[in-house]
Amino acid sequence: MKNILTVRPAEERDVASIRGLIAIYAEKAIMLDRDEADIRFYLGNFVVAEADGVVRGCAAVRDFGGDLLEVRSLVVAPDFQSKGIGRALLEAIISGLSIRRSSWRLFTLTYQVDFFRKLGFEVVDRKMFPEKIWSDCSRCPKQSRCDEVALLMSSK
Ligand SMILES: CC(C)(COP(=O)(O)OP(=O)(O)OC[C@H]1O[C@@H](n2cnc3c(N)ncnc32)[C@H](O)[C@@H]1OP(=O)(O)O)[C@@H](O)C(=O)NCCC(=O)NCCS
């Protein structure tokens, strides 16, 4: 990438950009759709990646209590993939957790298994997670036909 890549906490002005990024993949059934009201409500969970001052990626962390968190809504704009933006978003989340918490477990449910493995996550049995993490499944068209893979990274 020619210019500077910045990862920062999301702000109100980013809501439409985040919505646009998620919609690209929600339309392909790769991730759950989130409308602007939902993104705004959970805005404090989001980070965005800016390239050339334009938001090209985002990710969110949901806190399930205890030491369990989920990385979700991780998206990089199609024309900006394979430039290190996904890695930068995930590494920003992980370093934020490492600063704020002595111990944490970060999981994801995804089709991008090799991407997460490359960044240090390990495939785990999804049954190890408590039921409350499935709260979003009622909104998902796949529901019991879910074929996403669970991966986990834990603090050292
Ligand atoms: C998955 C996604 C976030 C990756 O973002 P990205 O910016 O393209 O990835 P990066 O360029 O940061 O890649 C980091 C590393 O992972 C590798 N990688 C990226 N995508 C990969 C994939 N699908 N499979 C295997 N390796 C992958 C890269 O080669 C790179 O390796 P390197 O550091 O050795 O060169 C992006 O492809 C995306 O938005 N996909 C669609 C939405 C989606 O499925 N999100 C995940 C839902 S949880």
Side-chain angles (χ1 to χ4, degrees), residues 41-56:
F41 187 80
Y42 290 105
L43 197 57
N45 292 355
F46 276 92
V47 289
V48 293
E50 274 184 346
D52 302 339
V54 179
V55 173
R56 302 297 188 187

Side-chain angles (χ1 to χ4, degrees), residues 25 30-31 74-76 81-87 108-110 112 114-116 118:
Y25 299 101
I30 289 173
M31 64 174 46
L74 171 64
V75 177
V76 175
Q81 291 183 2
S82 304
K83 297 175 190 291
I85 295 179
R87 176 189 285 277
T108 192
L109 298 165
T110 188
Q112 300 289 349
D114 291 338
F115 167 77
F116 280 95
K118 194 154 219 173

